[in-house]
Amino acid sequence: QVQLVESGGGLVQAGGSLRLSCAASGSIFSINTMGWYRQAPGKQRELVAAITNVGSTDYSNSVKGRFTISRDNAKNTVYLQMNSLKPEDTGVYYCNRRQYSGVISVDYWGQGTQVTVSS
C-alpha cells in the first residue's frame, strides 16, 4: 500500500498563487507517475498535470503556462505550483500516484485538498 498526504490548498484571490505538495510513503516502486487531478462541484474529476519518475510532464490545456508540476524523487514528493489562478480553477485537488510492475499498474489517491479562487 501507498499513502499520499497532500498539503497546500486554501483560499486565494484571482491572480494569486498556491503551491500544493503531496508526499508518498509505504510500498514505493521506482517506476511511477505522480499527478494532480481536480474535481469541481457537479463535474467529473479531470487531470490537471502529471510527471513521470524520469521527469516527463503532461498538462491540461486549461493550465498550461500557469501551473508547473515538479517532483523530488528522493522525498517521493510531487509539487504543483499554481500561478495566475482563476475562479474556474476552484475544486478539490487530488494527488495520484500510479505505480507500475511489469504490465500491471495500480493507482493510489490522496484524500484531496480544497482550492478556492475568489473573483
Side-chain angles (χ1 to χ4, degrees):
Q1 284 289 341
V2 172
Q3 295 77 44
L4 301 174
V5 178
E6 301 145 339
S7 60
L11 172 65
V12 65
Q13 288 188 334
S17 299
L18 284 173
R19 188 189 194 214
L20 305 182
S21 300
C22 172
S25 62
S27 299
I28 300 297
F29 290 3
S30 59
I31 300 176
N32 64 84
T33 298
M34 295 191 75
W36 292 93
Y37 290 70
R38 68 185 177 196
Q39 188 165 20
K43 294 188 177 181
Q44 289 188 331
R45 191 175 297 189
E46 62 174 355
L47 173 69
V48 176
I51 184 168
T52 70
N53 55 286
V54 294
S56 297
T57 59
D58 187 27
Y59 293 93
S60 165
N61 286 335
S62 64
V63 307
K64 281 182 181 176
R66 300 188 297 121
F67 292 10
T68 302
I69 191 168
S70 61
R71 62 187 292 165
D72 183 334
N73 287 337
K75 296 181 179 180
N76 294 313
T77 299
V78 65
Y79 306 96
L80 185 67
Q81 178 65 44
M82 305 185 292
N83 298 329
S84 302
L85 282 160
K86 304 175 180 180
E88 51 263 44
D89 294 317
T90 294
V92 179
Y93 283 66
Y94 295 92
C95 177
N96 169 266
R97 183 178 175 102
R98 178 169 294 174
Q99 300 199 145
Y100 299 87
S101 179
V103 298
I104 297 174
S105 65
V106 179
D107 281 308
Y108 299 93
W109 294 92
Q111 78 282 2
T113 184
Q114 178 70 44
V115 171
T116 303
V117 184
S118 62
S119 57

